[in-house]
Amino acid sequence: MQEKPDAADLLATAREVVLAELLPALPPEKAVAARMVAAAIALALRQSAAPPMTDARDLAMLAGEIRTGLHDPGTESHAEVAGFLRDHARARAAVSAPKALG
Amino acid sequence: MDEAALRFWLAQASGDAGLRITALTRLSGGAIQQNWALDVEVLGTPQRWVLRTDAPAVLAVSHTRPQEFALLRAAREAGVTVPEPLYLCEDAAVLGRPFFVMARIEGIAAPHRVVKDATLGGGREACVAALGRELARIHAIRPPRADLAFLGDPPADAALAAIASLRGRLDAAGTPRPVLEWGLRALERKAPAPVPPVLCHNDFRTGNIMLNAQGVAAVLDWEFAGWGDPHADLGWFCAKCWRFGQVAQEAGGIGSRAAFLAGYGLPVDSARLPWWELLATIRWAVIAADQAARHLSGQERSLELALTGHMVPELEWDVLAMAEAL
């Protein structure tokens, strides 16, 4: 067993230090960099907590099929592919930009 | 930056052998270009300039500095509010790469301030109307133009050309992106008929426009300009991804779409705008993914580029909704 605190705890604690202690002490031109560090830590935390992504499909093949119109409206596969793409985008946005999902 | 070489060149270009550089500092921002604040004394008069040159890692898709200089000249002649282009140096021996010097304009371009600070732009609705007028002046520049010959021939069909270009970039990047393909395919099925080509700025959006308290101080960042469909610029400016959180303000997060289009004044086929807004969203996703790739490849390690890559899933989420509604 690894010694505690674990990665998630360390990252969350480090983020608090960046926002609460470092950011107010920094010159204004460095505030954006500090906020980016906090955002990166938050993102890494969400990614480590997210369920593992197993791509149920060959994405390269699917991309090629879509381009050639194989899943256009009116085809049998259209609704199923649309549903897969929604899940695919939602799962990634949940880590990268959860606010966007509302 | 070899300040002595720069001083010598500027002295020759300006005709003042005694020209003095009083300050030279790198400005922040500009992932593709480097901007330097350059203060000089010419014939005893202080001047405030910007020196613009390429960043070490140059995107192949952007114009060269000499081409950008020609675009600035053409825009200024057309009455667009741009910094006055002053001197162009095409001799890479001076600074290692070509550069040009233009007037330095005071103002605020930072997007999160521009969308939130109502004291900027001379009033929100007046500001977007003024931006509409700026865009109309840009679109009054029509081919053929000998001074802009480097732009090549206008595309026969700007809409289909834009789709082909983005597919080419996706292929070159090598990461399969079925959601973006889905959006591109929807665009292809519903592509609008071509209209006569105009000069498109191709990056006319909040963040690339400098405002002051009175109004528009400067339209910046001309490196992607080219012949195309004017609706492309209208859609890029209005796309949700360029509203910086102020989603209800459909014109760049600043004001209303109606005021912007009223300022624009030229006939607009508003049915085309959702098409170009979807294209804009996909284009930004492709650019964002490319920016992350620059970080990942080690070409330019940067936290900003790394985080930009994480905008792609949100953009894809929007692409699905927009494609559905098209």
Side-chain angles (χ1 to χ4, degrees):
Chain A
M1 197 180 81
Q2 295 281 0
E3 195 63 38
K4 297 221 169 184
D6 63 9
D9 185 310
L10 287 168
L11 285 171
T13 309
R15 183 170 178 272
E16 271 310 300
V17 172
V18 171
L19 288 175
E21 294 181 36
L22 297 183
L23 185 57
L26 285 171
E29 67 271 19
K30 294 291 178 197
V32 171
R35 285 187 201 284
M36 285 198 297
V37 170
I41 294 173
L43 212 156
L45 271 169
R46 288 195 300 272
Q47 197 167 67
S48 64
M53 273 202 81
T54 49
D55 286 326
R57 282 171 180 267
D58 180 334
L59 295 179
M61 184 187 286
L62 179 62
E65 290 171 358
I66 291 168
R67 189 182 290 193
T68 54
L70 219 62
H71 305 298
D72 277 359
T75 61
E76 226 170 74
S77 55
H78 178 79
E80 184 267 324
V81 171
F84 169 80
L85 294 177
R86 262 195 301 278
D87 293 344
H88 176 68
R90 188 190 290 113
R92 286 154 55 250
V95 168
S96 298
K99 284 182 198 157
L101 298 174
Chain B
M1 179 74 62
D2 183 344
E3 208 172 301
L6 175 63
R7 195 213 73 80
F8 185 74
W9 188 87
L10 288 172
Q12 287 192 314
S14 67
D16 173 13
L19 177 142
R20 289 198 315 127
I21 294 176
T22 53
L24 181 63
T25 48
R26 173 92 191 265
L27 295 166
S28 59
I32 301 160
Q33 278 77 40
Q34 281 187 5
N35 293 313
W36 297 73
L38 170 63
D39 291 351
V40 295
E41 248 181 56
V42 188
L43 298 168
T45 308
Q47 304 274 0
R48 293 155 69 80
W49 293 344
V50 168
L51 184 153
R52 199 159 151 80
T53 187
D54 291 320
V58 185
L59 284 186
V61 291
S62 77
H63 292 313
T64 65
R65 276 343 87 219
Q67 292 168 347
E68 195 182 352
F69 191 79
L71 284 161
L72 275 180
R73 277 196 163 160
R76 195 168 167 85
E77 281 167 22
V80 184
T81 309
V82 291
E84 184 184 1
L86 297 168
Y87 307 111
L88 167 68
C89 176
E90 299 191 70
D91 180 1
V94 179
L95 292 186
R97 36 193 195 267
F99 65 92
F100 68 81
V101 173
M102 60 186 181
R104 185 151 95 242
I105 308 287
E106 301 298 329
I108 302 287
H112 289 98
R113 269 202 68 187
V114 162
V115 299
K116 284 189 186 140
D117 187 346
T119 68
L120 289 171
R124 300 278 90 178
E125 294 294 87
C127 177
V128 292
L131 288 170
R133 287 193 294 277
E134 296 285 346
L135 202 48
R137 289 180 198 128
I138 297 170
H139 292 168
I141 301 172
R142 307 280 167 95
R145 288 274 299 236
D147 57 330
L148 303 177
F150 59 86
L151 295 177
D153 291 329
D157 187 318
L160 294 182
I163 293 170
S165 160
L166 291 176
R167 282 177 173 162
R169 286 181 73 167
L170 284 171
D171 291 344
T175 303
R177 300 209 175 263
V179 174
L180 300 185
E181 294 287 352
W182 186 259
L184 287 168
R185 178 65 186 160
L187 290 172
E188 188 173 48
R189 286 197 309 269
K190 304 201 171 174
V195 294
V198 303
L199 184 70
C200 289
H201 180 284
N202 284 333
D203 205 5
F204 190 92
R205 62 162 177 87
T206 300
N208 289 336
I209 290 145
M210 188 174 271
L211 303 180
N212 56 28
Q214 289 74 44
V216 179
V219 178
L220 305 172
D221 294 296
W222 289 78
E223 61 264 30
F224 301 111
W227 305 124
D229 183 327
H231 299 87
D233 276 341
L234 296 166
W236 187 250
F237 186 73
C238 292
K240 182 181 158 227
C241 56
W242 294 126
R243 295 181 199 158
F244 295 93
Q246 305 296 309
V247 177
Q249 304 299 328
E250 294 187 2
I254 301 170
S256 75
R257 184 185 294 252
F260 172 64
L261 293 177
Y264 183 67
L266 303 173
V268 172
D269 180 356
S270 53
R272 287 170 183 257
L273 292 185
W275 195 96
W276 284 104
E277 284 173 53
L278 173 52
L279 191 285
T281 310
I282 298 171
R283 182 176 161 221
W284 173 218
V286 168
I287 294 170
D290 280 351
Q291 292 196 355
R294 281 164 64 197
H295 169 79
L296 287 166
S297 72
Q299 188 185 16
E300 189 182 350
R301 299 288 293 173
S302 149
L303 181 54
E304 185 179 5
L305 294 179
L307 288 171
T308 301
H310 278 280
M311 292 181 181
V312 175
E314 173 177 4
L315 293 165
E316 290 191 353
W317 185 247
D318 288 342
V319 163
L320 289 174
M322 294 166 90
E324 181 80 30
L326 197 65

